[in-house]
Each structure stands twice: as structure tokens, then as C-alpha cells.
Amino acid sequence: MKISIFGLGYVGAVTAACLARDGHEVIGVDVNPEKVDLIAKGESPIVEPGLSQLLVDGVAANLITATTDTEAAVLASDVSLISVGTPPIERGEPDLTYVWNVCKQIAKASIHKTESHVVVLRSTVPPGTLEKCQNLIDSITGNNSIHLAFNPEFLREGSAIKDYDQPPYTIIGTESPVAEAAVRQMYATVDAPFTVVKPSVAEMVKYVANCWHAAKVGFANEIGRVAKAFGVDGREVMNIIVQDTKLNISPVYMRPGFAYGGSCLPKDLSALLYYARNMDVPVPLLNALPTTNSLQVDLAAQQVLRLGARKIAILGLAFKPGTDDLRESPAVLLVKRLIGEGCQIKIYDQAVYEARLMGTNLTYIQNNLPHFEELLVAEAEQALKDAELVIVTHANPEFRQILQEALKEIQVLDLASVFTEPIEELNYCGIAW
């Protein structure tokens, strides 16, 4: 197939690379010329395991190109994927401006086509959005020559390619047989069952999935706090709970640790809360999730102050290991809080140190830690030098090795369960065990 992809962020870049690997011709489209230039040269604009090689291979095989020219991309493709951002605005409502803009551009370009065109929306949007996209496009084209589907993605940063290849299912939200057939053909090599539903159902599934993930993180962290108050290791409790795969569904996220973050869970939970408020639907559990998540960061900061350390090494700044995404990272919020308390901070995170930060990722870190480059160090030894306390935010095997070789007089605050049980040789503690 010939596929144009609008938006070359995490979802767009990974999708482009995987589709090209599977034999499709892909045209990446973005308003950011730097991203377009990187993709066109086969270079990754983000840190994601395995992505760089797929892009190199795709460009070498002439299956991946990139442009800022919307019309050219639409005219040269049969299917257009929309994977632009839907960032939160004032009260948590998602900003759909980029979605509307791309729909208008695709519609105007498609007027010059003689054959029909398929548009697949991948961005996370509230129920009813695809219908509005259809109405907007039809108002421009004056006909029904464009067929739409909503196809939510379930890609986790740090394991996105594996998740692309092994999804639990492929959801197609559409009432168009033409759009359904196109999506089925696009993912013909992906081994996963297809679930075809109304667009609004598929749109809601994406929000519910991310809100459930956020709920599991918050629940496990609260259990960890209560368990510790009883002198019980919360990890041992939750390890037993998640063995029940009949009722407890899945062990993913169900473990005490640090707060959730990233570009999806906070944003999508905020959006769902916004719509619940607007429709007067009471959701006390969901309303409590941001509070309990923020409390996990507060408790970490309070523990640092109780320990009396002022020179601190942070291992891990991104919201999770294996990525350079700093958006809504609890580690960023913790560092910001500790700097405000007068602490001296050095940060070791190799992915962030080596990354080419851009777009909303760069804007976020500049707004929260304007001089973050001065805090980052290239080697773990630089961070640990003269440190009174090491804070671990990622359960990273590299960090485990670093701590085992560290000076024994350094205190360790483990927020991510980098060790499954306390290490007697280390001055070690956590906030949920």
C-alpha cells in the first residue's frame, strides 16, 4: 500500500518504520522540517529501541520518504494516517486543533484525486471526533469520496516496536467497508485478532485503557503505602494479587513504585475527567488518581528531606527507562521540587543525555527545568561523586549494577524497585516497601 502519515512523533515515527518494514510505501508528513529531514535521512527523531535501524532500512529500500507538502503526500498515497498530538489545554480538555487542521488539508488535497481516499485517525480523541472529522471533510469535498476509520494504538515507549508487532488486538472503529478493508490490509502481517466496532466505541476504548493503566499504578502505590505502615512489604502483597489472572486481569502496572507519567496517562485521564464534569457524571475514583499520583512524588520529596541529604544523584529522568520522553515525568517534578528545597542535583540518564529533544518534549522540560542540561552528566560516576543520596527512578539493570558497585556510605532511595528486596550492604530504603 501507499500510506502517508501525518505527525512524526512517537506514534508516527514507529508506525512509519514498521509499515515500511512490512513492505508498504510510506510518506511521513510533519510541520517540523527538522523531523522531516531526519526521517528522510533515515535518522530517528526520538530514542526508541530498534527504531533507528528500521528507518535506515526503510529509506535504503526507498520505502520511506518525508515531506512538509500535504497535498503531494495525499496525492501520492491511498491511505492517510493521522497521528498528530492532542495536548491538554486549560481544564484538561484535549486540543484537537491539529486533528482539524490535518483533516482540512487532506480534504482540500483529495479534491484533486480521481479515486477515493481512506483516512485512519490514530490520535487519542474523545468519542464523536471521527464523526466530526467526516462532517468537516465532507463539507470541503462536497461528496463522500473519503472513508474514515479510528484505529487506536497501544504502543508503550521503550517497547513500541514489540507492541506494534504483538498487540492484544487491532481495533477498527468504522462504519465504512472501504476503510475497514484498508486497515485490515495495512496490518495483514500483524498477528492479532481484528475487532470492528463503531467509531465512538473505539475512541472510548483508548481512553478507558489508559485510565485503567493509570488506575492500576495509583492503586498499587496506595497498597504499597498502607502495607508499609503495617510493616508489610507491599511488593510481596501485590505479587500474590497479580497471580490471579482470572479476576485481576493483568500484572502490567500492578506493582508499587513511582508515580505514573508520560504523554498518555496524565493527558488522557485529564481529558476523561473533563468530559465527566461536563456531563455531570460522578467519577470519584478517577478524580482521586491525579491526587494519589502527585502524593507519590510528594512522599518521595519528604523522604529525601527526612534523610537530610543535600547533594543528590538522580538515576533516571525520563518518565520510564528506554525512552527520552520527559513529558509529565515524575522524576522531573521531583527534581524541580528538590531544587526548590535547596538541594544540589546531578542526573544520569543516558537516553536523555544523548537525545535530540524537540517539539512538546523539549518545551515541557524547558518550562519545568530551564537549565536541565547543566544537571545532566555523561557518566554515572559523575553523578555519584560527592553525592550523599542516590535516588533511583527506573528499575534499570544498569542502575542495579551501578548501585552494587557504589560506595557503601551513600544512601539509596529506591522509587522503582530496582532491587526485589533490600540489599544489606547498602543504606537502602523505598517509599512503598
Side-chain angles (χ1 to χ4, degrees), residues 299-301 303-304 307 334 389-393 411-416 427-431:
L299 290 174
Q303 179 72 353
V304 172
L307 293 171
L334 177 60
L389 173 68
V390 180
I391 301 177
V392 189
T393 69
Q411 299 180 92
V412 176
L413 176 58
D414 182 6
L415 304 178
N427 189 352
Y428 172 97
C429 65
I431 57 173

Side-chain angles (χ1 to χ4, degrees), residues 381 384 400-408 426:
E381 292 76 13
L384 268 60
R400 188 181 304 118
Q401 184 67 29
I402 289 169
L403 293 174
Q404 288 174 333
E405 297 173 357
L407 297 175
K408 304 312 176 187
L426 293 176

